[in-house]
Amino acid sequence: MKEDDSGNAQCDPANKINLDLAADLWGISSDALNERLTTASMEVMKKTIIKKVAPAKYNDNRDAISKALFENSFLFVVERINGELFHLGSGDVKKIMFIGVLDIFGFENFITNSIEQFCINFTNEKIQGFFNYNIIASEQEEYIKESVLWKPMKVPDNSDFVEMIEHKKNGMFALLDSACKAPKPAPENFVKEFFKKQGKMKQYLEKAKGPKKVKGQKRKSTDCVAARLRLPRHTGDR
């Protein structure tokens, strides 16, 4: 990838063979792949605007394509295998097989957590909530109804945390998606809007201290105040 006369990213003619090879393997045209690598889209007044990107943004497009390729390849393989294993009809239910993956304790806490790691931890948190209700809370309700001798126990409830992250309008994912579609996306704007909508959830939020501002120097856009999330199960900052 190189810079054209207008300062935008363009495919380096010397390496176009790599672009053509990737496009051929995916069954798409080279022009379509080139456009996806060198442009970005944003929504303004419910209209989608496509613009050229600078060479520095090319890697973001490349990484987005790679992640989407991995996700869809994984889903295809799982669906294909399950399709072969699944048996229709009135046969023995024990012969109805499928492949499932359950990782309920797969939390990881790094010094810097990527959005992918956060999504993994959040998914596990939702599974934990499902487990708490269906295995503990619901059983306890049955014991009480049937007057079984039982010492009531407090069941952890993380539903408010889940709502804070995935609420369709004010959740973290919705606000992050909206911030990314803005004409000039900025981390500061996302953090400000997130704390405006979810600041009352103080038990899960902590404003991380940004770098000290030196007198006479302007703060860089990458020096914004960040948000740190604490998962309800006290597995550390996310």
Side-chain angles (χ1 to χ4, degrees):
M1 191 58 57
K2 60 185 296 186
E3 185 175 330
D4 63 16
D5 296 335
S6 302
N8 299 317
Q10 70 171 2
C11 178
D12 188 347
N15 297 317
K16 190 175 183 300
I17 186 174
N18 297 323
L19 178 75
D20 294 337
L21 178 60
D24 182 59
L25 291 173
W26 291 337
I28 60 176
S29 68
S30 297
D31 291 339
L33 180 56
N34 181 62
E35 181 180 0
R36 180 62 185 84
L37 286 167
T38 58
T39 62
S41 60
M42 61 180 180
E43 291 187 6
V44 179
M45 300 297 289
K46 297 183 178 181
K47 292 183 179 180
T48 301
I49 298 176
I50 299 176
K51 65 175 184 178
K52 291 281 188 178
V53 299
K57 295 292 185 180
Y58 162 78
N59 288 344
D60 294 339
N61 286 354
R62 178 203 62 194
D63 292 347
I65 293 174
S66 300
K67 292 174 182 177
L69 176 64
F70 176 84
E71 177 187 8
N72 284 282
S73 297
F74 178 82
L75 293 176
F76 170 78
V77 171
V78 173
E79 183 179 2
R80 186 73 176 82
I81 294 175
N82 284 339
E84 289 296 319
L85 294 176
F86 190 76
H87 298 277
L88 296 176
S90 58
D92 187 353
V93 69
K94 294 181 180 180
K95 294 182 180 180
I96 299 178
M97 300 177 290
F98 69 95
I99 290 179
V101 179
L102 175 61
D103 178 11
I104 198 169
F105 296 113
F107 290 90
E108 297 288 349
N109 185 26
F110 303 104
I111 296 176
T112 301
N113 290 302
S114 65
I115 185 64
E116 291 85 1
Q117 186 60 51
F118 175 83
C119 290
I120 292 172
N121 291 347
F122 177 64
T123 300
N124 287 331
E125 193 63 43
K126 290 192 67 177
I127 296 175
Q128 182 66 46
F130 180 85
F131 176 87
N132 288 345
Y133 177 77
N134 289 279
I135 304 300
I136 304 176
S138 62
E139 286 298 316
Q140 182 167 254
E141 291 172 2
E142 287 296 322
Y143 290 169
I144 294 174
K145 288 179 181 179
E146 297 176 8
S147 300
V148 176
L149 290 178
W150 174 259
K151 183 179 179 180
M153 60 183 292
K154 184 178 180 181
V155 181
D157 182 9
N158 61 1
S159 58
D160 55 347
F161 176 83
V162 172
E163 184 76 358
M164 179 183 73
I165 301 301
E166 66 175 10
H167 188 276
K168 291 184 178 180
K169 184 177 181 181
N170 298 323
M172 191 199 82
F173 287 141
L175 296 176
L176 181 60
D177 189 49
S178 177
C180 291
K181 293 179 180 179
K184 293 183 178 180
E188 299 96 328
N189 296 338
F190 163 67
V191 173
K192 182 179 179 181
E193 187 66 16
F194 179 67
F195 273 90
K196 178 181 177 182
K197 299 291 187 182
Q198 300 291 349
K200 62 183 180 180
M201 307 292 285
K202 295 181 180 180
Q203 66 271 35
Y204 303 132
L205 299 177
E206 173 187 337
K207 282 192 175 182
K209 295 180 180 179
K212 294 182 178 180
K213 185 178 180 181
V214 180
K215 189 176 182 180
Q217 288 186 354
K218 292 184 177 180
R219 187 186 293 274
K220 297 179 181 179
S221 61
T222 54
D223 292 342
C224 68
V225 177
R228 302 179 74 182
L229 303 180
R230 292 186 180 279
L231 270 67
R233 300 197 318 126
H234 306 291
T235 51
D237 293 342
R238 297 299 171 217

